Amino acid sequence: MPLKAVTANRLREGDVVYLTESGLWSNWLNQACASEDETVQQDLLQRAEADVAARKVVAPYLIELIEVDGILQPLSTRENIRAAGPTVRADYRNVPLVA
């Protein structure tokens, strides 16, 4: 089985987050609880679904990872983009929309 971890988006801010071993959500991929064991992966996903019910996160799912020199790295381009942070310049995020 490939190495996998659970990711989601924090409900309030929309931030990309990763489920940690302690059951908390972190903005940092390397703090994610990653496992090759399918049973552990499904358990992590069930824990994440409990946080969906508690309105902490939305849309949790498993992502495939590799570990290089102790650092977790996503395998897909999409997850690399999500892990890197917002793709909109910070100075544009708080500018009001103009009609």
Side-chain angles (χ1 to χ4, degrees):
M1 288 299 300
L3 188 63
K4 293 184 181 181
V6 176
T7 186
N9 289 85
R10 198 177 310 275
L11 184 60
R12 184 174 295 262
E13 301 87 8
D15 294 342
V16 175
V17 289
Y18 304 94
L19 187 60
T20 66
E21 194 168 336
S22 66
L24 299 176
W25 293 93
S26 172
N27 293 59
W28 307 107
L29 174 58
N30 217 45
Q31 293 179 345
C33 180
S35 176
E36 293 177 335
D37 184 319
E38 188 174 351
T39 304
V40 172
Q41 294 169 1
Q42 291 307 312
D43 180 55
L44 291 170
L45 203 50
Q46 285 180 345
R47 288 168 50 188
E49 290 296 340
D51 283 344
V52 169
R55 298 186 177 140
K56 294 179 183 179
V57 298
V58 295
Y61 59 95
L62 291 166
I63 59 171
E64 290 188 0
L65 307 167
I66 57 171
E67 187 174 347
V68 178
D69 296 329
I71 298 173
L72 296 174
Q73 297 178 358
L75 289 179
S76 75
T77 301
R78 177 182 193 269
E79 294 308 324
N80 272 307
I81 292 168
R82 289 180 81 240
T87 56
V88 177
R89 286 182 18 193
D91 56 332
Y92 286 168
R93 281 187 247 147
N94 294 323
V95 176
L97 295 175
V98 177

